[in-house]
Coordinates of all heavy atoms in Angstrom, one line a residue:
V209 N -37.2 -35.1 -24.5 CA -36.9 -33.7 -24.1 C -35.8 -33.6 -23.0 O -35.7 -34.5 -22.2 CB -38.3 -33.0 -23.7 CG1 -39.1 -32.7 -24.9 CG2 -39.0 -33.9 -22.8
P210 N -35.1 -32.5 -23.0 CA -34.1 -32.4 -21.9 C -34.7 -32.2 -20.5 O -35.7 -31.6 -20.4 CB -33.2 -31.1 -22.3 CG -34.3 -30.3 -23.2 CD -35.2 -31.3 -23.8
T211 N -34.0 -32.8 -19.5 CA -34.5 -32.6 -18.2 C -33.3 -32.4 -17.3 O -32.1 -32.7 -17.6 CB -35.1 -34.0 -17.7 OG1 -34.1 -35.0 -17.9 CG2 -36.4 -34.3 -18.3
R212 N -33.6 -31.9 -16.1 CA -32.5 -31.8 -15.1 C -33.1 -32.4 -13.7 O -34.3 -32.0 -13.5 CB -32.0 -30.4 -14.9 CG -31.0 -30.3 -13.8 CD -30.2 -28.9 -13.8 NE -29.2 -29.0 -14.7 CZ -29.0 -28.1 -15.8 NH1 -29.9 -27.1 -15.9 NH2 -28.0 -28.2 -16.5
D213 N -32.4 -33.2 -13.0 CA -32.9 -33.6 -11.7 C -32.2 -32.9 -10.5 O -31.3 -32.2 -10.8 CB -32.9 -35.1 -11.6 CG -31.5 -35.6 -11.3 OD1 -30.5 -35.0 -11.7 OD2 -31.4 -36.8 -10.9
H214 N -32.6 -33.1 -9.4 CA -32.2 -32.5 -8.1 C -31.9 -33.6 -7.1 O -32.7 -34.2 -6.6 CB -33.2 -31.5 -7.6 CG -33.6 -30.4 -8.4 ND1 -34.2 -30.5 -9.5 CD2 -33.3 -29.0 -8.2 CE1 -34.4 -29.3 -10.2 NE2 -33.9 -28.4 -9.3
M229 N -34.9 -35.7 -5.8 CA -36.0 -35.1 -5.1 C -36.9 -34.2 -6.1 O -37.9 -33.6 -5.5 CB -35.4 -34.1 -4.1 CG -34.7 -34.8 -2.9 SD -35.7 -35.9 -2.0 CE -36.8 -34.7 -1.1
G230 N -36.6 -34.3 -7.3 CA -37.5 -33.7 -8.3 C -36.8 -33.4 -9.6 O -35.6 -33.7 -9.7
A231 N -37.5 -33.0 -10.7 CA -36.9 -32.9 -11.9 C -37.9 -31.8 -12.7 O -39.0 -31.6 -12.3 CB -36.9 -34.2 -12.7
Y232 N -37.2 -31.2 -13.7 CA -38.1 -30.4 -14.6 C -37.6 -30.5 -16.0 O -36.4 -31.0 -16.3 CB -38.1 -28.9 -14.1 CG -36.7 -28.3 -14.2 CD1 -36.4 -27.5 -15.2 CD2 -35.7 -28.5 -13.2 CE1 -35.1 -26.8 -15.3 CE2 -34.5 -27.9 -13.3 CZ -34.2 -27.1 -14.3 OH -33.0 -26.4 -14.4
S233 N -38.5 -30.2 -17.0 CA -38.1 -30.3 -18.3 C -38.6 -29.0 -19.0 O -39.8 -28.6 -18.9 CB -38.8 -31.5 -19.0 OG -38.7 -31.4 -20.4
T234 N -37.7 -28.4 -19.8 CA -38.1 -27.3 -20.7 C -37.2 -27.3 -21.8 O -35.9 -27.5 -21.5 CB -38.1 -25.9 -19.9 OG1 -38.1 -24.9 -20.9 CG2 -37.1 -25.7 -18.9
L237 N -33.6 -25.6 -21.5 CA -32.5 -26.2 -20.9 C -31.3 -26.4 -21.9 O -30.2 -26.5 -21.5 CB -32.8 -27.5 -20.3 CG -33.2 -27.6 -18.8 CD1 -33.7 -29.0 -18.5 CD2 -32.1 -27.2 -18.0
P292 N -36.5 -39.2 -11.0 CA -37.8 -38.7 -11.5 C -37.9 -38.0 -12.8 O -38.9 -37.5 -13.2 CB -38.2 -37.7 -10.3 CG -37.0 -37.0 -10.0 CD -35.9 -38.1 -10.1
E293 N -36.8 -38.1 -13.6 CA -36.8 -37.5 -15.0 C -38.0 -38.0 -15.8 O -38.7 -37.2 -16.6 CB -35.5 -37.7 -15.7 CG -34.3 -36.9 -15.1 CD -33.5 -37.8 -14.2 OE1 -34.1 -38.7 -13.5 OE2 -32.3 -37.6 -14.1
T294 N -38.2 -39.3 -15.7 CA -39.3 -39.9 -16.5 C -40.6 -39.3 -16.3 O -41.4 -39.0 -17.2 CB -39.3 -41.4 -16.3 OG1 -38.0 -41.9 -16.4 CG2 -40.3 -42.1 -17.1
Q295 N -40.9 -39.0 -15.0 CA -42.2 -38.3 -14.6 C -42.2 -37.0 -15.3 O -43.4 -36.8 -15.9 CB -42.3 -38.2 -13.1 CG -42.4 -39.5 -12.3 CD -41.0 -40.1 -12.0 OE1 -40.2 -40.2 -12.8 NE2 -40.8 -40.5 -10.7
A296 N -41.3 -36.2 -15.4 CA -41.3 -34.9 -16.0 C -41.4 -35.1 -17.5 O -42.0 -34.3 -18.2 CB -40.0 -34.1 -15.6
I297 N -40.8 -36.1 -18.1 CA -40.8 -36.3 -19.5 C -42.2 -36.8 -20.0 O -42.8 -36.5 -21.0 CB -39.7 -37.3 -19.9 CG1 -38.3 -36.7 -19.7 CG2 -39.9 -37.8 -21.4 CD1 -37.1 -37.7 -19.8
A298 N -42.8 -37.8 -19.2 CA -44.0 -38.4 -19.6 C -45.2 -37.5 -19.8 O -46.0 -37.6 -20.7 CB -44.4 -39.6 -18.6
V299 N -45.2 -36.5 -18.9 CA -46.4 -35.5 -19.0 C -46.1 -34.6 -20.3 O -47.2 -33.9 -20.6 CB -46.6 -34.7 -17.7 CG1 -47.1 -35.6 -16.6 CG2 -45.4 -33.9 -17.3
R300 N -45.0 -34.6 -20.8 CA -44.8 -33.8 -22.0 C -45.0 -34.6 -23.3 O -45.0 -34.0 -24.4 CB -43.4 -33.0 -22.1 CG -43.3 -31.9 -21.0 CD -42.1 -31.2 -21.3 NE -42.1 -30.4 -22.5 CZ -41.1 -29.8 -23.1 NH1 -39.9 -29.9 -22.5 NH2 -41.2 -29.3 -24.2
G327 N -43.8 -26.0 -24.0 CA -43.8 -25.5 -22.7 C -42.9 -26.2 -21.8 O -41.7 -26.5 -22.1
A328 N -43.4 -26.6 -20.7 CA -42.5 -27.2 -19.5 C -43.3 -28.1 -18.6 O -44.4 -28.3 -18.6 CB -41.9 -26.1 -18.8
S329 N -42.5 -28.9 -17.8 CA -43.0 -29.7 -16.8 C -42.2 -29.8 -15.6 O -41.0 -29.4 -15.7 CB -43.3 -31.1 -17.4 OG -42.0 -31.7 -17.7
A330 N -42.8 -30.2 -14.5 CA -42.1 -30.3 -13.2 C -42.6 -31.4 -12.4 O -43.7 -31.8 -12.5 CB -42.1 -28.9 -12.5
C331 N -41.6 -32.1 -11.7 CA -42.0 -33.2 -10.7 C -41.3 -32.8 -9.4 O -40.1 -32.6 -9.3 CB -41.5 -34.5 -11.4 SG -41.7 -35.8 -10.1
V332 N -42.2 -32.7 -8.4 CA -41.7 -32.5 -7.1 C -41.9 -33.8 -6.3 O -43.0 -34.3 -6.2 CB -42.5 -31.3 -6.4 CG1 -42.1 -31.1 -4.9 CG2 -42.4 -30.1 -7.2
V333 N -40.9 -34.3 -5.7 CA -41.0 -35.6 -5.0 C -41.3 -35.2 -3.5 O -40.6 -34.4 -2.8 CB -39.6 -36.3 -5.0 CG1 -39.5 -37.5 -4.1 CG2 -39.4 -36.9 -6.5
T359 N -55.5 -28.3 -12.8 CA -55.3 -28.6 -14.3 C -53.8 -29.0 -14.6 O -52.9 -28.3 -14.0 CB -55.6 -27.5 -15.1 OG1 -56.8 -27.0 -14.7 CG2 -55.7 -27.7 -16.6
G360 N -53.5 -30.0 -15.4 CA -52.2 -30.4 -15.7 C -51.4 -31.2 -14.7 O -50.3 -31.6 -15.0
V361 N -52.2 -31.6 -13.6 CA -51.4 -32.3 -12.6 C -51.6 -33.9 -12.6 O -52.8 -34.2 -12.8 CB -51.8 -31.8 -11.2 CG1 -51.2 -32.8 -10.1 CG2 -51.3 -30.3 -11.0
K362 N -50.6 -34.6 -12.5 CA -50.7 -36.1 -12.3 C -49.8 -36.5 -11.1 O -48.6 -36.2 -11.1 CB -50.3 -36.8 -13.6 CG -50.2 -38.4 -13.5 CD -51.7 -38.9 -13.3 CE -51.5 -40.4 -12.9 NZ -52.9 -41.0 -12.5
V363 N -50.4 -37.1 -10.1 CA -49.7 -37.6 -9.0 C -49.2 -39.0 -9.2 O -50.0 -39.9 -9.4 CB -50.4 -37.4 -7.7 CG1 -49.6 -38.0 -6.5 CG2 -50.9 -36.0 -7.5
L364 N -47.9 -39.1 -9.5 CA -47.3 -40.4 -9.8 C -46.8 -41.1 -8.4 O -46.0 -40.4 -7.7 CB -46.3 -40.3 -10.9 CG -46.8 -39.8 -12.2 CD1 -45.7 -39.2 -13.1 CD2 -47.6 -41.0 -12.9
L383 N -44.2 -39.9 -3.3 CA -45.0 -39.5 -4.4 C -44.2 -38.5 -5.4 O -43.4 -37.9 -4.7 CB -46.3 -38.7 -4.0 CG -47.3 -39.5 -3.1 CD1 -48.3 -38.6 -2.4 CD2 -48.0 -40.5 -4.0
G384 N -44.5 -38.5 -6.6 CA -43.9 -37.5 -7.5 C -45.1 -36.7 -8.1 O -45.8 -37.1 -8.9
V385 N -45.3 -35.4 -7.6 CA -46.4 -34.5 -8.0 C -45.9 -33.9 -9.2 O -45.0 -33.1 -9.2 CB -46.7 -33.6 -6.8 CG1 -47.8 -32.7 -7.3 CG2 -47.0 -34.3 -5.6
T386 N -46.5 -34.3 -10.3 CA -46.0 -33.9 -11.6 C -47.0 -33.0 -12.4 O -48.2 -33.3 -12.3 CB -45.7 -35.2 -12.5 OG1 -44.9 -36.0 -11.6 CG2 -45.0 -34.9 -13.7
A387 N -46.5 -31.9 -13.0 CA -47.4 -31.0 -13.7 C -46.8 -30.6 -15.0 O -45.6 -30.4 -15.1 CB -47.8 -29.9 -12.9
V388 N -47.7 -30.3 -16.1 CA -47.2 -29.8 -17.3 C -47.9 -28.4 -17.5 O -49.0 -28.2 -16.8 CB -47.7 -30.7 -18.5 CG1 -49.2 -30.9 -18.7 CG2 -47.0 -30.3 -19.8
G389 N -47.1 -27.4 -18.1 CA -47.8 -26.1 -18.2 C -47.2 -25.4 -19.4 O -46.1 -25.9 -20.0
P390 N -47.7 -24.3 -19.7 CA -47.2 -23.5 -20.9 C -45.7 -23.0 -20.7 O -45.1 -22.7 -21.7 CB -48.2 -22.4 -21.0 CG -48.8 -22.2 -19.7 CD -48.8 -23.6 -19.1
N391 N -45.3 -22.9 -19.5 CA -43.9 -22.5 -19.2 C -43.4 -23.1 -17.9 O -44.3 -23.7 -17.1 CB -43.7 -21.0 -19.3 CG -44.7 -20.3 -18.3 OD1 -44.8 -20.7 -17.1 ND2 -45.5 -19.3 -18.8
L392 N -42.2 -22.9 -17.6 CA -41.7 -23.6 -16.4 C -42.4 -23.0 -15.1 O -42.7 -23.8 -14.1 CB -40.1 -23.4 -16.3 CG -39.5 -24.2 -15.2 CD1 -39.8 -25.6 -15.1 CD2 -38.0 -23.9 -15.1
G393 N -42.5 -21.7 -15.0 CA -43.2 -21.0 -13.9 C -44.6 -21.6 -13.7 O -45.1 -22.0 -12.5
A394 N -45.3 -21.8 -14.7 CA -46.8 -22.3 -14.6 C -46.7 -23.8 -14.1 O -47.5 -24.2 -13.3 CB -47.4 -22.2 -15.9
A395 N -45.8 -24.6 -14.7 CA -45.7 -26.0 -14.4 C -45.3 -26.2 -12.9 O -45.9 -27.0 -12.2 CB -44.7 -26.8 -15.2
L396 N -44.4 -25.4 -12.5 CA -44.0 -25.4 -11.0 C -45.1 -25.0 -10.2 O -45.3 -25.6 -9.1 CB -42.7 -24.5 -10.8 CG -41.4 -25.0 -11.4 CD1 -40.4 -24.0 -11.4 CD2 -40.9 -26.2 -10.6
G397 N -45.7 -23.9 -10.6 CA -46.9 -23.4 -9.8 C -47.9 -24.5 -9.5 O -48.4 -24.7 -8.4
S398 N -48.2 -25.2 -10.5 CA -49.3 -26.3 -10.5 C -48.8 -27.4 -9.6 O -49.6 -27.9 -8.7 CB -49.7 -26.9 -11.8 OG -50.1 -25.8 -12.7
A399 N -47.6 -27.8 -9.9 CA -47.0 -28.9 -9.0 C -47.0 -28.6 -7.5 O -47.3 -29.4 -6.6 CB -45.6 -29.3 -9.6
Y400 N -46.5 -27.3 -7.2 CA -46.4 -26.9 -5.8 C -47.9 -26.8 -5.2 O -48.1 -27.1 -4.1 CB -45.6 -25.6 -5.6 CG -44.1 -26.1 -5.6 CD1 -43.2 -25.6 -6.6 CD2 -43.6 -26.9 -4.5 CE1 -41.9 -26.1 -6.5 CE2 -42.3 -27.3 -4.5 CZ -41.4 -26.8 -5.4 OH -40.1 -27.2 -5.5
S401 N -48.9 -26.2 -6.0 CA -50.2 -26.1 -5.4 C -50.8 -27.5 -5.1 O -51.3 -27.6 -4.1 CB -51.1 -25.4 -6.4 OG -50.6 -24.2 -6.7
A402 N -50.4 -28.4 -6.0 CA -50.9 -29.8 -5.7 C -50.3 -30.5 -4.5 O -50.8 -31.1 -3.8 CB -50.7 -30.7 -7.0
A403 N -49.0 -30.2 -4.4 CA -48.2 -30.8 -3.3 C -48.7 -30.3 -2.0 O -48.8 -30.9 -1.0 CB -46.7 -30.4 -3.4
R414 N -38.5 -30.5 -1.5 CA -37.7 -29.3 -1.7 C -38.6 -28.2 -2.3 O -39.6 -28.6 -3.1 CB -36.6 -29.7 -2.8 CG -35.4 -30.2 -2.1 CD -34.3 -30.6 -3.0 NE -33.8 -29.2 -3.6 CZ -32.5 -29.2 -4.1 NH1 -31.8 -30.3 -4.2 NH2 -32.1 -28.1 -4.7
D416 N -37.4 -25.7 -4.1 CA -36.7 -24.9 -5.1 C -36.4 -25.7 -6.4 O -35.4 -25.5 -7.1 CB -35.2 -24.4 -4.5 CG -34.3 -25.6 -4.2 OD1 -34.8 -26.7 -4.2 OD2 -33.2 -25.4 -4.0
I417 N -37.3 -26.6 -6.7 CA -37.1 -27.3 -8.0 C -37.3 -26.4 -9.1 O -38.2 -25.5 -9.1 CB -38.3 -28.4 -8.1 CG1 -38.2 -29.4 -6.9 CG2 -38.2 -29.3 -9.4 CD1 -37.0 -30.1 -6.6
G418 N -36.4 -26.5 -10.1 CA -36.5 -25.6 -11.3 C -35.9 -24.3 -11.1 O -35.7 -23.6 -12.1
R419 N -35.6 -23.8 -9.9 CA -34.9 -22.5 -9.7 C -33.6 -22.3 -10.4 O -33.2 -21.3 -10.7 CB -34.8 -22.2 -8.2 CG -36.1 -22.0 -7.6 CD -36.3 -20.6 -7.1 NE -37.4 -20.7 -6.2 CZ -37.3 -20.7 -4.9 NH1 -36.2 -20.8 -4.3 NH2 -38.4 -20.8 -4.2

Side-chain angles (χ1 to χ4, degrees):
V209 282
T211 52
R212 178 167 277 126
D213 73 343
H214 298 62
M229 292 299 288
Y232 64 99
S233 168
T234 161
L237 263 174
E293 290 93 329
T294 307
Q295 291 86 315
I297 291 169
V299 293
R300 291 194 63 197
S329 62
C331 171
V332 177
V333 170
T359 310
V361 169
K362 173 69 191 171
V363 178
L364 294 162
L383 298 166
V385 183
T386 311
V388 66
N391 54 52
L392 185 57
L396 286 165
S398 302
Y400 278 116
S401 301
R414 276 181 68 159
D416 65 345
I417 303 301
R419 289 242 192 98

